[in-house]
Amino acid sequence: MKEIFTLLDFGGYIALLMWGVHMVQSGVQRAFGAELGVWMGRALGRPRRAFLAGAAITAAIQSSTATGLMITSFAAGGLVALVPGLAAMLGANVGTTLIVQLLSFQLTALAPALILLGVWLFRAHQSGRRRDLGRVFIGLGLLLLSLHELVALFSPIQDAPLLQTLLQALSDSPVTGLVLAALLTWAAHSSVAIVVLIISLAGHHYMDPQLTYALVLGANLGTAINPVLEGTGGDKDPANKRLPLGNLGTRVVGCILGMLLLPWIPALMNWLTDDPARAVANFHTIFNLAVAALFMPLLKPYARLLSRQLPRRNDPDDPGKPLYLDESAHEVPAVALGNAAREALRLSDMLQSILGTARQALISNSAHNLNHARYINNAVSRLDQLITAYLAHLDQENLSKNDMRRLNDILAFSTNMAHAATISVSGLLTHTGKLRKQGWLLQQDEQDEIAKVMDRLIRNQRQAAALFVAEDVKTARFLAFEKDFFRDLESSASDRHISKIKSGQLDAADQGSLYLEILRDVRTINSYLVNAAAYPILAKHDELLPNRVRDPGN
């Protein structure tokens, strides 16, 4: 029974350790994530600058996985070449060692003060960067406390026969220790947590030195597994696997070389310092620096090899296939929201294609491309559902107030674009089919009017997409009041239709009613465009619009 409680204590403190690391990472990401992402995007030019950027950002957010997701997102969108991306990943692996260096010192006495400061910042501020920094300090305090308790837990059982047998077995097979550490790091999603735990155990002489360094190698290998498994699954473009697999390849080569040199590593680390904990932290840093020094000169041929083995696959016949909804990006809200926004913009492009087809069909009474437009509309519906599901799986706790606002803006844009596409197909294109079936042609004045109206609608669609990317209150206000134009247009057409009926042109009654339905659908589509982009911006700036303009039915 005592062993069971000890095992539960061990699991609880490991969980507390991982939760402390999670709070540090999420707090920094919420406080500085957007700015760090923008800065990284600008820095990913030349390999050397990309290496320094990867190291600096990972040192700040303490997650090479999170940094890797940012870089992978840029690479998938063509914003960064493979060589700088690989250089940034090498820098990220170095950057994640810096907090390990800090935590290798005996800082347990600071834990209560850190937690006190963190709770005060978190409770004293409703939202914003100071509240997020409170999460960081709480996480650091919990991390230090969990390490202290783990070491205290190991003290009475260090002479236990079962533990001695396990450690002896691992000492006789360092490769097994490497694999075990890699699996633990993969499960924990944090090399920092595992390496810091190894440092604590090594500092109290619980493990053989060679086994200790083999475990550190395993932790470095395990941290590269998650991006490969989570970010490249399914039928995604093989080219998107280049960066995570390339990073994993550098880890594998480094671990192989490290295992070959393992017999000489303890003596070298002891020459640098007599403190076992500091020796492990130094090895963790030296290993990543050595791998970076080895691969930096080889990045160009390495990138060519990856490109040959993983060629880009284009599939233009399936527009409903998501291109940017990377599930692994859920760990980094800024990246996940950026991915969803880019996917939502694809809906706008597809809607523009459908509107162009509808314009041609209404003016020329042509059935050309109608089936393709319906096919595109089905793709829009599928993508809208996938975007909604993707955003629904984001951890609400890790989203700042601005992140939540952006999430709602993306949902509004995606949903309204999907509704506009549906009306375009089920309304406008259905009306063109009825015109052909009845053998009707729009009158010349109606053709001229519908051409101008559709051109104006397509212009509004482009403005909505531009507003979604770059918010501008003046443009949003202009787009919102476009509802007046389409409502007045429909009213004028209705008056003309009634006048024709009164004048005895009964043969034009049914066709005139159909033309009114066309204008009514155009007005509805424009309303969805306004709801998609203009209203979120105006609401954010507390713009007060007349109720008749705010009403989606107008």
Side-chain angles (χ1 to χ4, degrees):
M1 182 63 69
K2 183 178 179 180
E3 290 78 5
I4 294 177
F5 283 113
T6 301
L7 184 61
L8 288 175
D9 290 341
F10 176 75
Y13 292 136
I14 290 292
L16 185 62
L17 172 66
M18 292 189 295
W19 184 250
V21 173
H22 168 75
M23 290 195 70
V24 173
Q25 294 173 355
S26 62
V28 174
Q29 289 173 20
R30 291 182 61 169
F32 306 103
E35 292 88 342
L36 291 175
V38 171
W39 185 74
M40 169 165 278
R42 295 173 178 173
L44 292 178
R46 297 179 179 180
R48 188 173 300 175
R49 187 193 303 174
F51 174 85
L52 295 176
I57 291 179
T58 307
I61 65 177
Q62 281 312 307
S63 175
S64 58
T65 299
T67 306
L69 290 172
M70 293 184 196
I71 303 168
T72 301
S73 176
F74 294 142
L79 301 178
V80 59
L82 182 58
V83 171
L86 290 169
M89 283 306 305
L90 291 174
N93 294 325
V94 173
T96 196
T97 68
L98 298 183
I99 194 173
V100 173
Q101 286 283 351
L102 178 64
L103 295 175
S104 64
F105 296 97
Q106 297 298 324
L107 303 175
T108 305
L110 297 177
L114 289 172
I115 295 176
L116 178 63
L117 175 61
V119 170
W120 176 76
L121 287 172
F122 190 84
R123 296 295 299 273
H125 301 86
Q126 293 300 318
S127 61
R129 183 165 293 177
R130 292 184 179 181
R131 182 182 174 92
D132 295 330
L133 289 177
R135 295 170 60 91
V136 175
F137 289 121
I138 294 173
L140 284 173
L142 294 178
L143 196 157
L144 294 173
L145 281 179
S146 62
L147 289 174
H148 176 75
E149 295 300 326
L150 278 170
V151 172
L153 181 67
F154 268 98
S155 297
I157 63 173
Q158 58 179 318
D159 297 325
L162 180 60
L163 180 62
Q164 291 295 324
T165 302
L166 176 61
L167 293 178
Q168 183 61 43
L170 292 176
S171 298
D172 294 339
S173 179
V175 175
T176 303
L178 182 149
V179 173
L180 178 61
L183 292 175
L184 289 175
T185 305
W186 163 73
H189 284 62
S190 173
S191 62
V192 173
I194 301 303
V195 173
V196 169
L197 176 61
I198 295 171
I199 288 175
S200 296
L201 298 177
H204 290 76
H205 307 282
Y206 292 152
M207 295 185 296
D208 176 76
Q210 286 195 27
L211 173 60
T212 300
Y213 298 122
L215 292 177
V216 174
L217 292 175
N220 279 276
L221 178 63
T223 193
I225 295 176
N226 276 307
V228 175
L229 296 181
E230 298 180 7
T232 61
D235 60 346
K236 296 183 179 182
D237 190 341
N240 294 336
K241 301 179 182 180
R242 294 172 185 169
L243 190 60
L245 282 177
N247 180 56
L248 178 62
T250 63
R251 303 289 91 194
V252 170
V253 171
C255 288
I256 292 175
L257 295 177
M259 292 302 291
L260 293 176
L261 298 174
L262 191 61
W264 297 276
I265 290 177
L268 176 61
M269 294 299 104
N270 290 336
W271 178 74
L272 294 175
T273 179
D274 295 332
D275 185 352
R278 298 285 312 128
V280 175
N282 290 340
F283 173 70
H284 183 44
T285 302
I286 291 173
F287 169 77
N288 284 282
L289 287 173
V291 172
L294 174 64
F295 275 93
M296 283 295 288
L298 305 175
L299 286 183
K300 289 185 178 180
Y302 187 42
R304 288 195 294 268
L305 175 64
L306 291 170
S307 298
R308 284 197 304 268
Q309 297 300 319
L310 299 168
R312 184 169 296 280
R313 182 183 66 204
N314 295 317
D315 188 9
D317 296 329
D318 186 12
K321 173 184 174 182
L323 300 181
Y324 306 110
L325 301 184
D326 187 354
E327 296 295 334
S328 64
H330 281 147
E331 297 185 17
V332 191
V335 175
L337 292 173
N339 290 343
R342 294 167 70 189
E343 204 71 63
L345 280 174
R346 293 185 61 214
L347 302 185
S348 178
D349 295 337
M350 294 181 192
L351 173 61
Q352 182 176 328
S353 174
I354 295 173
L355 291 176
T357 301
R359 180 188 186 280
Q360 180 183 9
L362 287 168
I363 296 174
S364 63
N365 200 23
S366 170
H368 185 62
N369 284 336
L370 294 189
N371 289 332
H372 181 68
R374 295 187 180 95
Y375 177 66
I376 294 296
N377 179 54
N378 291 333
V380 169
S381 298
R382 295 201 310 271
L383 275 180
D384 174 50
Q385 295 173 1
L386 291 173
I387 291 171
T388 301
Y390 182 79
L391 294 175
H393 284 87
L394 283 178
D395 187 358
Q396 302 288 323
E397 183 183 350
N398 289 336
L399 298 178
S400 65
K401 185 177 181 180
N402 289 333
D403 290 337
M404 283 299 303
R405 184 183 294 116
R406 184 56 174 165
L407 184 149
N408 291 328
D409 290 348
I410 295 171
L411 285 175
F413 185 84
S414 175
T415 301
N416 282 285
M417 286 293 166
H419 288 330
T422 299
I423 297 298
S424 300
V425 172
S426 64
L428 295 182
L429 294 181
T430 300
H431 298 326
T432 62
K434 187 174 182 180
L435 285 172
R436 290 192 308 276
K437 183 178 180 180
Q438 297 293 337
W440 292 339
L441 287 175
L442 295 178
Q443 298 178 13
Q444 187 59 47
D445 61 332
E446 292 176 338
Q447 289 186 21
D448 294 341
E449 185 175 57
I450 203 66
K452 294 179 180 178
V453 168
M454 291 301 297
D455 288 342
R456 190 157 184 162
L457 184 65
I458 293 173
R459 184 201 65 184
N460 289 349
Q461 175 271 325
R462 292 171 177 166
Q463 282 193 341
L467 282 172
F468 182 65
V469 175
E471 298 180 359
D472 180 72
V473 177
K474 184 177 179 180
T475 305
R477 192 182 302 117
F478 173 82
L479 180 59
F481 280 99
E482 276 289 279
K483 282 190 170 186
D484 288 335
F485 168 80
F486 288 94
R487 183 177 52 256
D488 293 342
L489 177 68
E490 182 187 356
S491 178
S492 298
S494 178
D495 292 340
R496 293 197 306 268
H497 177 60
I498 293 175
S499 298
K500 289 180 181 179
I501 294 177
K502 289 180 178 180
S503 64
Q505 301 179 31
L506 297 179
D507 57 331
D510 291 339
Q511 185 174 339
S513 297
L514 182 61
Y515 185 68
L516 285 178
E517 292 179 12
I518 292 173
L519 293 181
R520 187 173 297 113
D521 287 338
V522 168
R523 175 178 58 80
T524 303
I525 294 169
N526 183 74
S527 296
Y528 283 127
L529 296 178
V530 174
N531 296 341
Y535 281 171
I537 295 175
L538 296 176
K540 189 182 304 183
H541 292 82
D542 296 325
E543 288 277 349
L544 296 178
L545 297 176
N547 291 332
R548 60 185 177 85
V549 177
R550 284 188 178 274
D551 183 3
N554 286 327

